[in-house]
Amino acid sequence: MKRKHKFWMGSILLWCSVGLLLPTSTVQAATSVQTHVQAKAAVMIDVQTGQLIAQQNAKQALPIASLSKLLTLLVVERAVAKQQLRWDEQVKAQPDEVKLSHNPLYSNVPLDTHQRYSIQQLAAAAMVKSADGATITLAKAAGGDLTHFTKEMQTTAHQVGVKDAQLYNPVGLADGDMGAYQNPRIPDQAENQMSAISVAKIARQVVNQDAMTVQLAKQPSLAWQGRMVKNTNELLGTVKIGNDQVEIKGLKTGTSEGAGQCLVTLGIVRGRRVITVVLNANNRFQVTKDLYQQALTKMRVQPIHYQAMIKTWQGQPGRVTVATKQAALWLPKGQPRPQGKLVWRTKQRWGWRYQAPLSTKQVVATVNYQGIPSVSGSQVRIALTPTSPVKKTPSWFDLGK
């Protein structure tokens, strides 16, 4: 009984010591900025925390045109990670893809049946020029046929929390514009749709996991068959927004008759990486700047830092500090820092001792902010992770094996 009492007291002391780090003031919950820009939908999110900074009609499913290629590249990148595909793997374009790539009505780089292209070249063409023919060749290389690849897109979208996606092809064209790849069972006007908040979820996944796609998306131009092809994203580089300098690092444009002008950007401003999405804008580049302006005018960045010491079970060292890493909240100007609730997540053994090994990426606890919206639809959760790795020390049982 004494042993149980000892661990119970230890857990109380740990909670109190951490609790002292939490803000004590109770404030009205922060909400995202309700923007008024010339687009059917718009959102702005923080990449690290997923906080929904600004929104406008964020949940209505709308056509997304070539923004679809972000999801296409996410599927390709996962195939590469599973060693089902290599970036340097060479493939040939088929006649139907070559024919579509020479159609002046579409965004393209010209393909040739007598030439081989690496997966990375095709991915670059998809991200920089939004090349439709190259995207079809890329999708077929990764999925075998477009029907199977589109199902993989749907599965991947669902895995990252997207529930409203209607997907018909990896390109983003209306089905009637797909040429030889048109699906006779689908109406000609059918095209990929999802909400702005869903596009933001996919873009965040790309930024957090798909290093190659991000690298390709920020290229100002692409060398293709002896000529330079300019990136379709005219905002790349430094953009002055009021008193702020925003560094735009990509990501993707999209245009169709049904979708209008669409744009996703990855920006760095006030030391934070943010993603913006505008759907069906009258001028996507100006509207994106307006979105930044309206959000930055009303919001400030509040750094968040919490830390605690935890004990480990079978760990070396026996104690380790867990802390937030360069975290922050976007709060309305003039609003005090809100109160967060500490929630422990890691499996425990013997009271408050945490089973080794522990990596510096392992989430031990989160600080949850009720009322601050997240791109996932729930409250913002800021992770606490070990500041140094913890190795597992062999037990007597392990030594006896």
Side-chain angles (χ1 to χ4, degrees), residues 9 61 81 105-106 136 143 158 179 187 220 241 318 335 347 382-383 391 399:
M9 287 298 293
L105 298 178
Y106 305 144
I136 293 175
H158 189 79
I241 306 290
Q335 178 175 299
K347 291 182 180 179
I382 297 179
K391 297 180 180 179
L399 293 172

Side-chain angles (χ1 to χ4, degrees), residues 226-239:
R227 65 187 182 96
M228 299 304 294
V229 179
K230 188 178 179 181
N231 197 311
T232 57
N233 186 354
E234 296 178 11
L235 290 185
L236 284 178
T238 303
V239 180

Side-chain angles (χ1 to χ4, degrees), residues 72 75-76 139 142-143 145-154 170:
T72 298
V75 175
V76 170
D145 63 74
L146 296 193
T147 299
H148 179 265
F149 187 89
T150 305
K151 289 180 180 179
E152 284 296 313
M153 291 173 66
Q154 193 78 53

